[in-house]
């Protein structure tokens, strides 16, 4: 077998193009089309990571790849410490509830919508 090197290392920053909807820095993004991203939707199975900055449609944006690590993410409502979380609308996070695509574990509690908490990616 030939030697292999990944295109991007785990936890690396990946440059991608913003698709049909602008993204907000510090929020989850998902793949939309080839090499393009949009804000993640509710319980998305396509979450790639976290946008490094706000970006408009067509702009290039750095994405911190979802391969472990702790990120400061915006809650969509109350979340308990230790709860498994999923993506929520607009790139936020929510308690797993009926969702099936866990992306992390809350290391802090969120009391309400727009609270920012530490989440360990899994």
């Amino acid at each position: 077998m030939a030697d292999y090197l990944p295109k991007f290392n785990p936890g690396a920053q990946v440059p991608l193009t913003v698709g049909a909807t602008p993204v907000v820095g510090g929020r989850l993004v998902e793949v939309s089309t080839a090499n393009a991203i949009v804000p993640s939707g509710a319980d998305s199975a396509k979450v790639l990571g976290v946008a490094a900055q706000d970006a408009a449609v067509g702009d290039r944006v750095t994405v911190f790849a979802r391969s472990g690590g702790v990120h400061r993410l915006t809650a969509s409502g109350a979340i308990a410490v230790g709860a498994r979380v999923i993506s929520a609308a607009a790139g936020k996070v929510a308690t797993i509830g009926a969702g099936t695509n866990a992306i992390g574990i809350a290391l802090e509690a969120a009391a309400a919508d727009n609270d920012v908490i530490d989440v360990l990616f899994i």
Side-chain angles (χ1 to χ4, degrees):
M1 174 181 236
D3 290 342
Y4 169 81
L5 292 174
K7 186 170 182 178
F8 294 100
N9 289 323
Q13 301 170 10
V14 181
L16 296 166
T17 301
V18 177
T21 307
V23 299
V24 175
R27 294 210 182 162
L28 298 172
V29 293
E30 65 182 46
V31 64
S32 62
T33 59
N35 293 311
I37 54 151
V38 294
S40 68
D43 196 28
S44 175
K46 304 182 294 181
V47 174
L48 294 178
V50 181
Q53 66 271 347
D54 293 355
V57 173
D59 287 350
R60 295 286 281 178
V61 64
T62 298
V63 174
F64 294 104
R66 187 184 138 204
S67 56
V70 176
H71 290 272
R72 303 275 303 150
L73 301 176
T74 304
S76 65
I79 298 174
V81 172
R84 292 172 61 87
V85 297
I86 58 173
S87 63
K92 296 180 180 183
V93 292
T95 300
I96 197 164
T100 58
N101 296 298
I103 59 106
I105 299 171
L107 299 179
E108 296 178 305
D113 185 32
N114 290 321
D115 282 357
V116 177
I117 62 170
D118 288 346
V119 173
L120 173 67
F121 274 152
I122 55 172

